[in-house]
Amino acid sequence: MEEDVAGVERRWAAFNRWGPYGLLAVGTLLAAATTDLLGMGRGDWYAVTALVAAGLVLQLCWVRAVRDRPERSAVSVGYYAVRWAIAFVLTWINPFFAFYAVSGYFGVRRILPSRLVNVGLVATAVTMAGSESGGLPPRGGTGWLLFSAVLAITLVLVAAFNRLALQEDERARVQSATIGELERTNTALQRALDENAALHAQLLVQAREAGVADERRRLAAEIHDTIAQGLTGIIAQLQVVANTPDPGTAREHLGRASDLARQSLGEARRSVHNLAPVALEHDGLPEALDKTVTEWGRRTGVRSEFTLTGTAEHLHEEVSATLLRIAQEALSNASRHARAARVGVTLSFMGDEVTLDVRDDGRGFDPVAVPERTGSGGFGLDGMRARAERIAGSLTVESEPGQGTAVSARVPLVRHER
């Protein structure tokens, strides 16, 4: 559409520059053909020759001048006035020069300022009416009457066409503005699409990096809760074997170490594949906790018991795995640091929440003074808290030196989807 409008503009510009040459040539030929009919004498032709030459020179100068300066200027007004004067005198001599005078209708709004457009149109209409009514000047009352009628009709037609031309110019202006706005909008849209594509690629990279980091954290936590604890237990059993002279006791602890090694190996494989812990493969959370607490107490020699309160429900596997891992970590901490004589684990189903409490009567500690985890340390309390928060839960620790420790995890009750 924009190319079509530009093409029309170029064609009109070409006509306004070169059209007067052709119209002046047509008028000259018709004047030559009607010399005897209209009674043109030698003096008339001298005047016509001079005026035609002046018209040609004027148009040639205008074509050159319009290349270097705006069309609407004092020069353009002078050009239009001189051209009209030449056309008026030529038409006075021979009415057929009206073919040249008609050029005053074309491009008038591009040549004259807005305040002079109507003046130029009326002047051109006078010349055209004189030609159409039999030539200038009108002869007799009938001639003036005919000239006046033709001029009135011409002015009405000029006004009507001028109004249509104004509407067309306004429509073209609005269309051009709309096309420009659409181009700016398309440019902005393309820029936004390019930015969105770049942002999307960046988000994909960040999501991939976040996924890798999250998977690393998950594996680190799983290794800490399974392999590291299993190796700790194996070391403890082997230390007993190394320090006992009784072959029966040594065989018993060797068997426990072997069981722990197999269990740790299975947990490691399940951690790599992000599967549920072995203890939850065939049992629900209460049963898995009961077995875990019993096995831990048997292995460490610490009196331990598991208590279930409320009505047990089949929990979502992620909730069950999280609470089991928290319990395992809390028991591991109790065996390594608490020096407790008794440990109690309680699982409570309370409406829309599940609470896991692990309490021991060990030496306790100051929670505020707990050092941050180092590269060689375990995940400890931070790891348990992170696990609980991952499923929209929370973890609190209460402890005082010499007063034991209580770890409480509270998570939403999310039932297993069947």
Side-chain angles (χ1 to χ4, degrees), residues 262-327:
R262 283 191 292 269
Q263 181 180 354
S264 298
L265 178 59
E267 290 286 7
R269 289 171 175 168
R270 301 183 70 82
S271 297
V272 170
H273 296 288
N274 197 18
L275 301 176
V278 174
L280 294 172
E281 187 174 6
H282 302 293
D283 296 324
L285 179 61
E287 294 80 7
L289 283 174
D290 189 13
K291 293 179 179 179
T292 298
V293 171
T294 300
E295 174 59 27
W296 179 85
R298 185 171 63 86
R299 188 172 66 248
T300 60
V302 177
R303 180 182 175 186
S304 58
E305 60 181 58
F306 170 73
T307 304
L308 173 66
T309 64
T311 303
E313 298 196 41
H314 195 185
L315 298 175
H316 189 279
E317 60 182 15
E318 187 68 20
V319 176
S320 297
T322 297
L323 291 177
L324 179 61
R325 293 305 191 199
I326 290 175

Side-chain angles (χ1 to χ4, degrees), residues 20-65:
Y21 288 117
L23 294 174
L24 184 59
V26 172
T28 302
L29 291 175
L30 291 176
T34 58
T35 297
D36 296 335
L37 179 64
L38 297 178
M40 292 178 61
R42 186 182 298 273
D44 293 331
W45 270 109
Y46 286 149
V48 166
T49 302
L51 291 172
V52 169
L56 293 174
V57 173
L58 175 67
Q59 191 64 26
L60 181 62
C61 293
W62 169 247
V63 170
R64 292 182 177 180

Side-chain angles (χ1 to χ4, degrees), residues 146-160:
L146 180 60
F147 170 76
S148 299
V150 173
L151 178 60
I153 294 173
T154 302
L155 290 175
V156 170
L157 293 175
V158 167

Side-chain angles (χ1 to χ4, degrees), residues 210-230:
V212 171
D214 185 68
E215 183 66 10
R216 286 176 178 173
R217 286 192 295 269
R218 182 191 70 80
L219 285 174
E222 292 291 335
I223 290 172
H224 174 266
D225 292 342
T226 57
I227 300 177
Q229 292 185 19

